[in-house]
């Protein structure tokens, strides 16, 4: 039986093709193992082999996300908060318009940490409820609403990819590569576009409905979406607060996602620069020694790939060790390869 630890193939599918040249140069590295193979399908003369259709839907559709749960949780959170602050509205001072509208508005301003100061709790009960509501709201916005926004941005980014390739003669592989390569960029562009629309909508509404000066409208939008909330400018009419209930949540979450994708884009570009450097730099004797995992003084294709992936930061030695253990567990007959018999026996 061949030495398992020194000859196992972690990337057998890639190693088979990369070792074609090694077969002639160094036949001692090639070991034959019985594999279960099906006879190749015969293609009639003059008939082209039919390639399988690659369905992009499972790949292009983002991970499953149930908006029903998000809306139910957000509705329950706002409903409980609205009931609380509506019942103690006499313990909240400030500019008031309508009891229900003001209660929902106060919930949104508290949840998003905007905190204009136009409605302020002045009793001990109201202050304690506001503190508890603020902590829960920060978690809700940070975890659930941000994930919902990421889902929307990813879905819209996929639609953008499909639209860009609609009139191009691109095959499925090219579309998938474009999607994986520029996914963060598309999400960033989608979020940036939505943020611009929300900013313009807020400025126009404050200027036309709330009657603010144009500069004040811009100022109010900026201090709101950045959650500064100085309090000197805010929504003071009933219609304005109805608009603010939806607009504040959307704009603050969108801005947070915008900066998140911007940071991801910067990190991704640095990662690509590292990958380019790793792939183009000259190999040294130390690299050959480090890449030789089985210590036989020869680096195979799979060993080279693993070494470069670790150098790029794509995988770690811990990942390689776990994959080795998994391979060892699946290789029941200890042949150094996986066959259908191993699958049956395992």
């Amino acid at each position: 039986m061949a030495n398992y630890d020194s000859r196992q193939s972690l990337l057998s599918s890639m190693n088979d093709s990369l070792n074609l040249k090694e077969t002639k140069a160094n036949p001692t590295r090639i070991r034959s193992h019985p594999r279960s193979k099906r006879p190749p399908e015969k293609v009639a003369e003059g008939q082209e082999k039919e390639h399988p259709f690659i369905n992009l839907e499972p790949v292009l559709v983002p991970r499953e996300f149930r908006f029903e749960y998000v809306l139910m949780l957000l509705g329950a959170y706002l409903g409980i908060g609205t009931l609380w602050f509506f019942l103690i509205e006499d313990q909240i001072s400030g500019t008031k318009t309508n009891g229900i509208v003001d209660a929902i508005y106060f919930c949104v301003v508290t949840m998003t940490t905007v905190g204009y100061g136009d409605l302020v709790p002045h009793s001990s009960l109201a202050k304690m409820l506001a503190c508890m509501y603020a902590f829960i709201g920060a978690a809700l916005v940070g975890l659930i609403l941000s994930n919902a926004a990421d889902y929307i941005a990813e879905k819209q980014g996929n639609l953008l990819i499909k639209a860009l390739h609609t009139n191009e003669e691109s095959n499925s592989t090219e579309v998938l590569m474009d999607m994986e390569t520029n996914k963060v960029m598309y999400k960033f562009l989608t979020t940036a576009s939505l943020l611009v629309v929300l900013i313009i909508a807020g400025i126009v509404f404050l200027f036309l409905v709330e009657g603010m000066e144009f500069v004040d409208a811009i100022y109010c939008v900026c201090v709101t979406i950045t959650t500064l909330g100085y309090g000197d400018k805010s929504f003071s009419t009933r219609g304005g607060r109805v608009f603010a209930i939806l607009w504040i949540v959307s704009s603050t979450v969108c801005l947070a996602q915008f900066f998140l994708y911007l940071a991801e884009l910067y990190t991704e570009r640095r990662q690509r620069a590292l990958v380019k450097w790793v792939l183009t730099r000259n190999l040294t004797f130390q690299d050959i020694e480090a890449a030789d995992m089985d210590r036989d003084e020869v680096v195979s294709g799979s060993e080279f790939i693993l070494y470069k992936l670790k150098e790029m930061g794509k995988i770690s030695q811990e990942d390689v060790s776990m994959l080795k253990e998994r391979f060892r567990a699946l290789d029941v007959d200890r042949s150094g390869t996986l066959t259908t018999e191993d699958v049956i026996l395992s």
Side-chain angles (χ1 to χ4, degrees):
M1 183 182 296
N3 188 336
Y4 172 78
D5 291 329
S6 66
R7 300 297 184 190
Q8 64 180 346
S9 173
L10 298 178
L11 300 170
S12 58
S13 60
M14 283 186 276
N15 192 32
D16 289 342
S17 60
L18 287 171
N19 282 337
L20 289 176
K21 295 181 180 180
E22 296 179 15
T23 305
K24 298 179 180 180
N26 191 0
T28 59
R29 290 186 57 82
I30 305 301
R31 297 180 297 113
S32 61
H33 298 288
R35 295 176 181 266
S36 298
K37 294 183 179 180
R38 293 184 301 174
E41 297 180 359
K42 295 183 178 180
V43 181
E45 186 177 354
Q47 179 182 358
E48 294 183 359
K49 186 176 180 180
E50 185 175 338
H51 296 281
F53 173 73
I54 301 176
N55 185 14
L56 294 179
E57 285 302 319
V59 182
L60 290 176
V61 175
R63 62 187 179 279
E64 183 179 359
F65 195 90
R66 301 299 298 272
F67 269 102
E68 296 85 354
Y69 297 151
V70 175
L71 294 177
M72 287 175 59
L73 186 58
L74 181 60
Y77 174 77
L78 288 176
I80 293 173
T82 300
L83 180 61
W84 280 354
F85 297 117
F86 177 73
L87 294 176
I88 60 171
E89 61 176 337
D90 56 333
Q91 302 178 35
I92 298 177
S93 59
T95 305
K96 297 182 179 180
T97 59
N98 177 273
I100 298 296
V101 174
D102 290 342
I104 301 175
Y105 171 77
F106 182 77
C107 289
V108 170
V109 170
T110 304
M111 175 182 70
T112 56
T113 68
V114 171
Y116 285 127
D118 50 354
L119 292 175
V120 182
H122 62 79
S123 68
S124 298
L125 175 62
K127 290 178 181 179
M128 292 303 297
L129 289 176
C131 290
M132 183 172 60
Y133 201 78
F135 276 109
I136 298 175
L140 180 66
V141 172
L143 297 177
I144 299 177
L145 294 184
S146 295
N147 287 335
D150 183 69
Y151 173 87
I152 295 173
E154 186 172 347
K155 189 172 182 180
Q156 294 300 316
N158 291 335
L159 292 176
L160 178 60
I161 295 173
K162 288 183 178 180
L164 290 175
H165 290 279
T166 299
N167 297 323
E168 298 180 4
E169 295 181 358
S170 304
N171 56 34
S172 302
T173 305
E174 292 177 348
V175 177
L176 290 177
M177 288 182 62
D178 183 39
M179 182 191 66
E180 289 299 324
T181 304
N182 302 306
K183 180 170 64 174
V184 178
M185 172 63 75
Y186 288 131
K187 291 165 70 173
F188 172 77
L189 294 176
T190 302
T191 307
S193 302
L194 181 59
L195 182 61
V196 170
V197 172
L198 289 171
I199 290 175
I200 294 175
I203 293 173
V204 171
F205 187 90
L206 289 170
F207 179 74
L208 297 179
V209 178
E210 291 290 313
M212 292 186 184
E213 297 292 333
F214 185 71
V215 174
D216 291 337
I218 297 175
Y219 167 77
C220 183
V221 166
C222 291
V223 299
T224 299
I225 64 176
T226 56
T227 69
L228 289 173
Y230 290 128
D232 53 340
K233 299 294 180 181
S234 62
F235 296 87
S236 56
T237 64
R238 182 171 62 180
R241 290 183 175 178
V242 171
F243 171 81
I245 290 170
L246 297 176
W247 181 81
I248 291 177
V249 175
S250 303
S251 58
T252 52
V253 173
C254 187
L255 182 67
Q257 293 300 116
F258 172 81
F259 285 115
L260 174 63
Y261 296 145
L262 182 62
E264 287 185 6
L265 192 61
Y266 173 74
T267 304
E268 185 181 78
R269 289 188 173 181
R270 292 195 60 183
Q271 181 66 26
R272 288 182 183 178
L274 174 62
V275 170
K276 183 178 180 180
W277 175 80
V278 168
L279 293 176
T280 55
R281 75 178 183 86
N282 295 327
L283 287 178
T284 63
F285 294 110
Q286 290 78 11
D287 292 322
I288 299 297
E289 183 179 356
D292 186 15
M293 297 177 62
D294 54 15
R295 299 293 180 251
D296 62 351
E297 299 183 356
V298 178
V299 177
S300 65
S302 60
E303 289 174 333
F304 176 78
I305 293 171
L306 285 174
Y307 176 69
K308 285 298 182 180
L309 287 175
K310 288 191 290 184
E311 194 175 15
M312 294 174 190
K314 301 289 186 179
I315 59 174
S316 63
Q317 184 59 42
E318 182 181 357
D319 298 327
V320 176
S321 300
M322 288 191 298
L323 290 172
K324 283 184 178 180
E325 293 298 325
R326 180 58 179 164
F327 187 92
R328 187 178 290 111
L330 292 173
D331 187 17
V332 179
D333 59 3
R334 294 295 185 266
S335 63
T337 58
L338 293 180
T339 62
T340 54
E341 286 79 4
D342 292 322
V343 177
I344 295 173
L345 292 175
S346 63

